[in-house]
Amino acid sequence: MGASLLFLLLLVTTSSSLLCINGEDPYRFFTWNVTYGFIYPLGVQQQGILINGQFPGPQIQSVTNDNLIINVFNSLDEPFLLSWNGIQQRRNSWQDGVWGTNCPIPPGKNFTYVLQVKDQIGSYFYFPSLGFHKAAGGFGGITIASRPMIPVPFPPPAGDYTILTGDWFKANHTDLKAILDGGQNLPFPDGLLINGRGWNGNTFTVNQGQTYRFRISNVGLTTSINFRIEGHTMKLVEVEGSHTLQNSYDSLDIHLGQSYSVLVTADQPGRDYYIAVSTRFTTPILSTTAILHYSNSAGAVSGPTPGGPTIQIDWSLNQARSIRWNLTASGPRPNPQGSYHYGLVNTTRTIRLANSAPVINGKQRYAVNSVSFIPADTPLKVADFYQIPGVFSPGSIPDYPTGSGAYLQTSVMAANFRDYIEIVFENNEDTVESWHIDGYSFFVVGMDGGQWTQASRQSYNLRDTVARCTVQVYPKSWTALYMPLDNVGMWNVRSENWAKQYLGQQFYLRVYSPANSWRDEYPIPRNALLCGRASGRRTRPL
């Protein structure tokens, strides 16, 4: 089938469907309309962001290597973008959906994302990336199943549930943004949600004796959470695309932006049980619940909700260290320099990233290595493609903390394709940080309290740590990771605390290949939106 016919298919698609084209990987088509609508997640009417009238938005079900064609119509009164948390966009940062790579979709217009879940499995989510839209909804789950005939290291579950949970504010997203723009900190969240609802707002039905998969993502704005199910243990099987050793847990800490898959067997007496979520490391503690309903239930939930850990950092750190990679499982794996033995590959560069909370020009900001990010007038990837001067400068953020005064900058770090780097996140603050890197899955080789030094490498796990895309850094602590730079593009490195991200705790990693070849990176999409200093330019001929 020719490219022109495929393009016509993309234009006329009006509903989600599945199409195979001449032996290519399957195509899944979606048409989404983004609107405002009234929601009542905590019993108070709010203006939410809905996708096809839904809050949370529609679930994306896919299989490894599927091509996802997602036509997004922006019916809001302001620009809009969706990003895909954990989808690596191999050779294709053009589809990442953040301000550094994409021009926003103008009100009343549409944009078709053309992305592939290349060599990935697992549990992820999408979310609106501009401004403070994330505080209004617009998020949804993404599941990527293994291809047929690829063995999965556990029997097929009787059911598969997605849980999108996290903190929530009753204030409108525009009011929250105004607070931050005014140089103030956000108030404490008003509550927690599970799939867009508060206390006992969701019911998950199970049959006694059967096992179910729960995919849990923290889609909140500011707070780590703990997840547990009354009377049941959870067997961890997957973390952001890595099959794990199947350790059992009574409760799981899930930090901002993270996703976990657990198996739960309905092996208790037939009644209803609480699914409980509570905040970690906060005062006061916020909680919410859903219901695990046995189909043969003889009674409703009753009594107190199951308690969880509150401020214990050592407990959380030890749990994080216990999460290991299942080295015998099949499926896509990160493959640095042709070897699965990530610990035997020599790193070529060490980058130390320290977060801070400076006041700049009388306003609260957040920074990385003393640089507080400010958006340019043109997306960085677009400016890079057209070689527009003055938009950004590679090397505008240092590789290590300098201790100098903080300043505002459109910060971009230069990096070379196929390097193998060590990144150390250093947190000198009193709150937990959560860091995400677009376009990549990295190996979390170590984390501990105190100051990182070269001697800290002696404690690294160089055998079976998980590869993931979002990692926590505990207060007054460090977290180290190894990452193969095998994906050319402009990639966002950000705090998943959305207030800190919005106020500058992010930068872009420009992974560059001098070959300028389609082998290394796809060209600009024909349908790319152009704005700022790129307005009026042409992409490629149809």
Side-chain angles (χ1 to χ4, degrees):
M1 181 173 290
S4 60
L5 182 53
L6 176 57
F7 182 74
L8 289 175
L9 278 171
L10 302 187
L11 291 180
V12 302
T13 300
T14 58
S15 62
S16 71
S17 58
L18 177 63
L19 179 68
C20 294
I21 301 177
N22 280 359
E24 294 182 55
D25 292 309
Y27 282 74
R28 297 178 187 265
F29 294 87
F30 305 82
T31 298
W32 288 355
N33 186 28
V34 180
T35 62
Y36 286 126
F38 289 130
I39 57 175
Y40 305 82
L42 293 176
V44 175
Q45 179 177 286
Q46 295 178 255
Q47 184 188 65
I49 293 178
L50 313 180
I51 299 179
N52 291 354
Q54 301 177 41
F55 167 68
Q59 180 86 6
I60 293 178
Q61 303 278 3
S62 61
V63 178
T64 300
N65 289 354
D66 279 355
N67 297 281
L68 307 182
I69 315 300
I70 306 170
N71 193 1
V72 178
F73 286 83
N74 178 16
S75 297
L76 307 181
D77 58 2
E78 55 186 326
F80 183 79
L81 273 178
L82 284 173
S83 190
W84 321 91
N85 211 72
I87 305 304
Q88 293 177 16
Q89 314 288 2
R90 305 296 300 176
R91 299 186 292 164
N92 201 15
S93 63
W94 300 108
Q95 308 295 333
D96 203 28
V98 291
W99 173 244
T101 59
N102 293 84
C103 291
I105 308 170
K109 303 295 183 180
N110 73 299
F111 176 73
T112 300
Y113 292 88
V114 181
L115 54 95
Q116 186 179 28
V117 289
K118 180 69 173 172
D119 293 334
Q120 287 189 262
I121 61 163
S123 310
Y124 310 95
F125 63 92
Y126 61 87
F127 68 97
S129 63
L130 293 186
F132 232 65
H133 284 163
K134 191 179 180 184
F139 49 76
I142 303 173
T143 66
I144 309 175
S146 294
R147 303 181 81 171
M149 308 304 294
I150 301 296
V152 174
F154 50 87
D160 195 315
Y161 290 118
T162 291
I163 292 181
L164 304 175
T165 183
D167 56 18
W168 190 259
F169 294 82
K170 293 179 181 178
N172 189 285
H173 74 94
T174 55
D175 295 332
L176 296 174
K177 180 174 175 292
I179 291 172
L180 296 175
D181 289 340
Q184 304 300 312
N185 289 315
L186 291 181
F188 193 70
D190 295 297
L192 298 178
L193 302 184
I194 296 175
N195 289 355
R197 297 185 178 182
W199 283 84
N200 292 345
N202 287 274
T203 298
F204 301 90
T205 300
V206 297
N207 295 323
Q208 195 163 36
Q210 295 186 322
T211 298
Y212 295 80
R213 182 172 184 169
F214 287 81
R215 303 172 186 262
I216 314 149
S217 295
N218 183 346
V219 297
L221 299 169
T222 64
T223 313
S224 299
I225 60 170
N226 182 266
F227 181 92
R228 52 205 179 272
I229 301 178
E230 178 188 10
H232 296 72
T233 58
M234 300 176 290
K235 182 181 292 184
L236 185 65
V237 293
E238 178 254 330
V239 173
E240 295 161 18
S242 287
H243 289 305
T244 63
L245 291 182
Q246 295 178 12
N247 297 329
S248 292
Y249 300 92
D250 293 325
S251 69
L252 270 175
D253 277 356
I254 306 175
H255 304 276
L256 289 164
Q258 294 184 336
S259 299
Y260 289 79
S261 280
V262 298
L263 297 180
V264 178
T265 300
D267 55 5
Q268 298 300 304
R271 63 176 182 86
D272 291 357
Y273 296 85
Y274 285 113
I275 297 174
V277 177
S278 58
T279 56
R280 288 287 266 126
F281 322 117
T282 66
T283 302
I285 303 294
L286 297 175
S287 300
T288 196
T289 58
I291 296 171
L292 185 73
H293 170 70
Y294 277 55
S295 59
N296 63 340
S297 175
V301 290
S302 62
T305 58
T310 55
I311 62 172
Q312 304 92 331
I313 290 175
D314 286 347
W315 184 98
S316 188
L317 175 62
N318 289 332
Q319 182 180 86
R321 288 171 171 165
S322 73
I323 298 172
R324 302 296 181 91
W325 201 7
N326 186 339
L327 297 178
T328 63
S330 299
R333 295 171 180 255
N335 190 18
Q337 300 185 8
S339 170
Y340 292 137
H341 303 291
Y342 67 92
L344 300 180
V345 181
N346 292 326
T347 57
T348 54
R349 178 181 177 185
T350 295
I351 299 169
R352 294 168 49 213
L353 301 173
N355 53 274
S356 58
V359 174
I360 302 177
N361 299 329
K363 293 185 177 182
Q364 179 66 66
R365 297 286 301 186
Y366 294 90
V368 187
N369 288 357
S370 299
V371 187
S372 186
F373 181 86
I374 52 173
D377 59 5
T378 307
L380 309 180
K381 183 63 184 170
V382 174
D384 204 16
F385 177 79
Y386 290 110
Q387 298 183 2
I388 301 172
V391 176
F392 73 92
S393 174
S396 47
I397 179 172
D399 279 18
Y400 51 88
T402 62
S404 62
Y407 57 95
L408 303 175
Q409 179 69 266
T410 303
S411 40
V412 176
M413 183 176 289
N416 295 321
F417 182 43
R418 294 202 175 100
D419 277 0
Y420 189 62
I421 65 174
E422 174 187 40
I423 297 178
V424 182
F425 290 108
E426 302 178 0
N427 180 15
N428 296 315
E429 304 297 310
D430 294 325
T431 56
V432 176
E433 294 292 341
S434 189
W435 285 95
H436 176 88
I437 302 179
D438 280 352
Y440 284 94
S441 184
F442 47 73
F443 300 95
V444 184
V445 294
M447 56 177 64
D448 207 347
Q451 182 66 43
W452 181 88
T453 67
Q454 293 188 16
S456 303
R457 295 180 178 131
Q458 297 175 13
S459 66
Y460 282 4
N461 176 0
L462 299 182
R463 180 178 182 273
D464 64 350
T465 191
V466 291
R468 62 185 314 170
C469 59
T470 309
V471 69
Q472 72 273 22
V473 191
Y474 293 101
K476 309 295 185 183
S477 300
W478 57 267
T479 295
L481 55 92
Y482 284 176
M483 190 169 82
L485 297 183
D486 57 0
N487 198 12
V488 174
M490 186 77 69
W491 303 110
N492 191 217
V493 181
R494 64 174 176 266
S495 170
E496 285 288 291
N497 182 311
W498 217 242
K500 295 183 178 183
Q501 177 273 155
Y502 179 74
L503 292 178
Q505 196 166 300
Q506 61 171 310
F507 66 94
Y508 281 83
L509 184 70
R510 179 181 183 258
V511 180
Y512 177 71
S513 169
N516 193 26
S517 167
W518 286 26
R519 178 200 63 193
D520 297 337
E521 184 179 28
Y522 294 142
I524 189 170
R526 294 186 178 99
N527 69 331
L529 301 174
L530 299 179
C531 58
R533 302 188 210 179
S535 296
R537 305 210 180 203
R538 301 183 64 179
T539 55
R540 293 184 287 139
L542 292 179

